[in-house]
Amino acid sequence: MKGKLAALVAGLACTALAQGTVTIQYWHINTEAFGLPALRELVREFERRNPGIKVEERYHANAYTGLLQNLQAALAAGNPPDVAQIGYLYTGYVAANFPFVPITDLARRYGGESHLRRFAPHILSLGRVDGVQVGMPYSLSNIVTYYNADLFRQAGLDPDRPPSTWEGWRRAARQLKARTGKPLYLILLDDNWALEALIRSNGGSLLVCEGGVWRTGVDRPEAVQALQMWADMVREGLMLNALLPQGEQAFLAGQATAFMTTIAKRAALEEATRGRFTLRGTRFPTFGGKPPWLPAGGNVLTVFSRDPKRQEAAWKFIQFLTSPEGFTLWTKGTGYVPLLPEVGRDPRYLKEFMERNPIQKVALDQLPFVAPWTSFPGPNGLAASQALFRATQRALGGQASAEVALKEAASEINRLIGGGACKE
C-alpha cells in the first residue's frame, strides 16, 4: 500500500513538474556541418540554467528562403514557431506580412531593456524596419575566400600571397586550372547573397529610390558587369556553376581550389579539411581599387509566440543566445562574428580564440565594409528575389547574357514591388 501511495505521489509530482514546464519551438537552418552541434550545446546549456523551459529545435532546408516559406504555411495554419531565425534580407518582408512580437515589446513586458542597451545602435538597426525592432540581431557574417594552399603550391602560386582583386583571381584561376585542372567556386543560393556582394562591390545596387518610388538597379551597368564576369569565368571553366551542396563538396574533395562563402562555415570547414589539405582564408575580391561592400549575412531572432508564457520563455532564450556566453559558443562553433565587440577582447570569452584563428580575423577585418542585406519591399518581395535568382541561373548557364537576363528580371521585379514609396 505504501509503495502504491509513494508511486502515486511521485506521479503527481511529475505531472506538476510537466505542467510547470514551458516548451518552445526554435526554427533554424543549421545542419551538422553548419552550426548544429553548437546550437544543440547552446540549447543544453540554456535548459540547464532554466529548468522550467524546454527548447525544441527544428531544422528547415533551403536556408532562409525555405524556412520563410514553411513559416508562412505555419502562420496560416495557426501553428507558428515561438522563435525563428529570419535572414536579414527577409526582415522587411516579415515586418510587412507576418504577425510577430517586437523585441522592444518583449523587453518592456518581461524585463531585459538593459540587455538591449548592451548593443550598439547600428547593430540593433540590422533587425529594425521602419523603427520597429522586428528581431534581435544574432548571427552576423560576411563572405570570405577560403582556399586550398596545397593546390596553390602545386600550381606554382604563393599561398601566403593570395590575390586581392577579381582580375588577380582570374589570372590565378587560369594558372590553377592549367596546372591542377580544378576551378574556383563562388557560393550559389537562391537568396542572391553572393550576387549582391559582386554588384555592391562593383558600385551597383539591387534597389534604388528614384522619384520617391523603389526600383531595382540590377539592370544597370555595374550589376551587368559583375554578373557577366561571373558568367564568363564559368564559361571559361575557371568557376564551378553549382548550387551550394555540390560546390562545397567539390571544395572539400579537393576538386575546387577556392570556396567563396560565409565566415559562418569556418568551424565546419576547418574540421572537414583537417588531414586532407591546408585551409587558408583571405578577403573577398575587389573590383580594382573600388571598396568592397558586402551584404551582412546571418539572421535575427524573431518571436511569433501568441501565448504570454511562451513569449517570455522565448525572450529568455534569445537573451541567452545573445549573451557573452552565448556568442562565445556560437562563434567558436560556427564562425559568426560576435555582436558584442568586448567578447572578442575578453580573456574569459574569445580573446585567445581570436588571436590564434587567422581566418576568423579576415571576417573581423571586413566588418567596416559590411552593408545591410537588401530586402525587396512589399508583399511580393520573396517573388522578386526569386526572379533575380532565375536571371543569375540563366546567365551562369549560358542561356542568356547577363545584360539580357538582368533586363528581363528588372522588368519583373519592378512590377512585383509595385513602385512602393521611398524617401530619397
Side-chain angles (χ1 to χ4, degrees):
M1 182 69 180
K2 288 184 179 179
K4 289 183 179 180
L5 181 60
L8 177 62
V9 171
L12 291 172
C14 288
T15 300
L17 179 62
Q19 289 176 344
T21 299
V22 177
T23 299
I24 60 172
Q25 277 188 21
Y26 176 37
W27 282 19
H28 62 85
I29 65 162
N30 302 110
T31 64
E32 285 288 350
F34 181 43
L36 187 56
L39 184 153
R40 287 175 173 163
E41 185 178 358
L42 285 162
V43 168
R44 284 194 298 270
E45 180 60 21
F46 173 76
E47 290 180 340
R48 186 187 69 79
R49 298 183 184 198
N50 297 271
I53 303 174
K54 179 175 175 54
V55 179
E56 291 182 352
E57 51 90 1
R58 295 196 179 180
Y59 163 74
H60 292 264
N62 197 23
Y64 299 118
T65 305
L67 187 149
L68 193 72
Q69 291 167 337
N70 294 337
L71 176 60
Q72 198 158 2
L75 285 165
N79 187 34
D82 299 289
V83 58
Q85 295 177 354
I86 301 296
Y88 290 122
L89 80 164
Y90 290 135
T91 54
Y93 185 80
V94 167
N97 298 285
F98 293 174
F100 63 93
V101 186
I103 293 296
T104 45
D105 288 2
L106 294 167
R108 185 175 60 253
R109 292 175 196 168
Y110 308 116
E113 291 178 312
S114 60
H115 182 74
L116 291 179
R117 287 194 291 271
R118 301 182 69 170
F119 295 85
H122 75 280
I123 293 296
L124 289 175
S125 71
L126 292 171
R128 192 179 300 132
V129 177
D130 295 332
V132 178
Q133 199 71 44
V134 177
M136 185 71 195
Y138 178 42
S139 303
L140 179 65
S141 70
N142 53 60
I143 188 168
V144 301
T145 303
Y146 303 90
Y147 61 97
N148 185 324
D150 300 344
L151 289 176
F152 260 59
R153 293 189 188 94
Q154 185 180 330
L157 295 170
D158 185 352
D160 295 325
R161 300 180 64 185
S164 59
T165 66
W166 278 111
E167 182 182 0
W169 270 104
R170 198 164 187 172
R171 287 196 302 268
R174 288 182 176 133
Q175 189 166 331
L176 285 159
K177 182 71 174 178
R179 300 191 183 182
T180 72
K182 299 173 175 62
L184 314 177
Y185 175 60
L186 172 60
I187 182 175
L188 180 61
L189 275 174
D190 64 354
D191 54 22
N192 302 303
W193 191 56
L195 179 64
E196 180 165 13
L198 289 174
I199 291 174
R200 294 290 295 271
S201 293
N202 198 36
S205 178
L206 267 61
L207 198 62
V208 293
C209 187
E210 283 186 346
V213 297
W214 287 117
R215 296 185 63 81
T216 186
V218 300
D219 54 347
R220 297 189 175 186
E222 299 84 358
V224 171
Q225 291 164 7
L227 179 55
Q228 191 61 57
M229 180 210 68
W230 189 2
D232 287 345
M233 291 184 72
V234 168
R235 179 178 49 80
E236 290 181 53
L238 306 178
M239 189 83 78
L240 184 64
N241 179 22
L243 293 176
L244 176 60
Q246 294 76 33
E248 183 171 350
Q249 284 307 307
F251 181 68
L252 294 176
Q255 297 303 310
T257 55
F259 180 19
M260 298 166 185
T261 189
T262 172
I263 186 60
K265 283 190 172 287
R266 176 201 49 76
L269 291 175
E270 286 176 340
E271 178 64 27
T273 59
R274 189 170 291 117
R276 293 187 182 186
F277 59 80
T278 304
L279 182 71
R280 298 280 184 85
T282 189
R283 293 186 177 194
F284 189 68
T286 63
F287 287 86
K290 296 178 182 178
W293 285 108
L294 311 176
N299 54 69
V300 300
L301 301 173
T302 302
V303 171
F304 299 95
S305 298
R306 297 176 181 176
D307 176 74
K309 288 183 179 179
R310 286 171 29 200
Q311 286 180 3
E312 183 176 12
W315 175 228
K316 284 184 178 179
F317 183 52
I318 289 174
Q319 288 181 84
F320 171 69
L321 293 180
T322 56
S323 68
E325 296 84 358
F327 279 130
T328 297
L329 289 171
W330 196 225
T331 296
K332 285 183 176 181
T334 57
Y336 281 118
V337 179
L339 300 185
L340 294 171
E342 63 270 21
V343 173
R345 301 188 294 266
D346 195 320
R348 294 174 298 172
Y349 303 119
L350 288 171
K351 183 176 186 296
E352 182 183 350
F353 174 80
M354 291 293 187
E355 289 173 348
R356 57 183 171 81
N357 201 300
I359 297 180
Q360 190 70 45
K361 188 175 183 300
V362 171
L364 288 175
D365 290 343
Q366 289 187 149
L367 278 183
F369 309 109
V370 170
W373 194 351
T374 298
S375 177
F376 287 114
N380 298 316
L382 183 57
S385 180
Q386 293 296 302
L388 181 55
F389 176 60
R390 289 193 298 272
T392 303
Q393 287 182 305
R394 290 182 66 205
L396 296 183
Q399 285 84 38
S401 68
E403 183 176 12
V404 169
L406 289 176
K407 182 177 180 180
E408 292 175 359
S411 177
E412 184 177 358
I413 292 169
N414 286 330
R415 177 181 58 80
L416 287 166
I417 62 179
C422 61
K423 294 181 180 180
E424 295 188 73

